[in-house]
């Protein structure tokens, strides 16, 4: 389970003398507004639920997540110890908007424009190369092939067209850029972020050769974007395939019309 910081109430607290909002559940980092800060609290081996350290992320002994308008540790500091009295719950919950009003802060805009969901198992074929006739039927525009480089924190990408050039319109290119920019806030931020997102968000799909692959779908009014994550180092690690929904619907209508035209002709009785 993950928290929607723009919809859900969080616990009102103080940490290191600063007002913060906290939750027991993870907060997707791509949803954190610009100029805000988000950290994980980590327990100990003997007491995983304890609030012992503040870190950027943790994949084990996660005991809570902190959202703050101010930095709570230096970027170079891997972990800051949470001592007795450093963390205090006020015993009430609060929405982000109310928190901002309480402290005279501007209410931040939600940085998420496009909703992303895990793929279902029956969608798996949409994330891989398809025969040309299937691409045409589904309105495939093309795909972006991506990897994070040797160190896992670069971002290399190549565009591969798969449909008629007429589908690759300026409007499509603009929206594709916006979708990729949003994905770069979270799942495509770097290799570690992608690996973490895959492990907590589901979306397992069949078809991976060397490891388990994961699929995620972003659907807009005109396009469906299918992101396949291949979380293994030394290989291409993500593919984002775009389908034109309008072309897909038109092809379906034409196919249905052709079926009707080729059906049996009923003669009159009499």
């Amino acid at each position: 389970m993950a928290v929607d910081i723009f919809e859900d109430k969080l616990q009102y607290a103080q940490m290191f003398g600063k007002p913060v909002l906290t939750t027991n559940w993870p907060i997707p980092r791509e949803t954190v507004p610009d100029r805000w800060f988000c950290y994980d609290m980590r327990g100990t081996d003997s007491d995983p639920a304890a609030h012992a350290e503040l870190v950027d992320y943790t994949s084990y002994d996660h005991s809570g997540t902190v959202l703050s308008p101010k930095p709570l540790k230096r970027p170079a500091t891997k972990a800051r110890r949470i001592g007795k009295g450093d963390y205090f719950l006020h015993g009430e919950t609060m929405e982000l908007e109310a928190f901002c009003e309480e402290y005279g802060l501007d209410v931040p805009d939600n940085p998420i424009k496009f909703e992303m969901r895990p793929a279902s198992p029956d969608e798996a074929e949409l994330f891989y190369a398809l025969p040309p006739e299937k691409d045409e039927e589904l309105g495939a525009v093309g795909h972006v092939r991506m990897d994070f480089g040797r160190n896992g924190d670069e971002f290399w990408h190549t565009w591969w067209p798969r449909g008629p050039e007429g589908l690759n319109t300026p409007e499509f290119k603009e929206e594709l850029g916006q979708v990729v920019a949003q994905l770069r806030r979270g799942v495509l931020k770097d290799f570690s972020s992608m690996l973490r997102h895959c492990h907590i968000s589901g979306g397992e799909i069949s078809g991976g050769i060397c490891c388990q692959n994961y699929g995620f779908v972003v659907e807009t009014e005109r396009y469906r974007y299918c992101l396949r994550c291949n979380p293994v180092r030394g290989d291409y690690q993500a593919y984002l395939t775009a389908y034109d929904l309008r072309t897909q619907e038109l092809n379906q209508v034409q196919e249905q019309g052709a079926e009707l035209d080729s059906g049996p002709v009923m003669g009159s009785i009499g």
Side-chain angles (χ1 to χ4, degrees), residues 82-134:
I82 303 172
K84 187 176 181 179
D86 286 337
Y87 177 56
F88 173 75
L89 286 172
H90 290 287
E92 60 180 294
T93 59
M94 184 176 288
E95 293 178 342
L96 178 59
E97 183 176 354
F99 179 86
C100 291
E101 291 176 355
E102 178 73 18
Y103 291 99
L105 304 171
D106 293 332
V107 179
D109 293 328
N110 188 339
I112 299 302
K113 180 179 180 182
F114 309 103
E115 295 295 327
M116 185 175 75
R117 63 170 174 82
S120 59
D122 60 355
E123 294 177 306
E125 73 164 357
L126 297 176
F127 296 84
Y128 296 95
L130 295 170
E133 61 272 15
K134 192 67 175 179

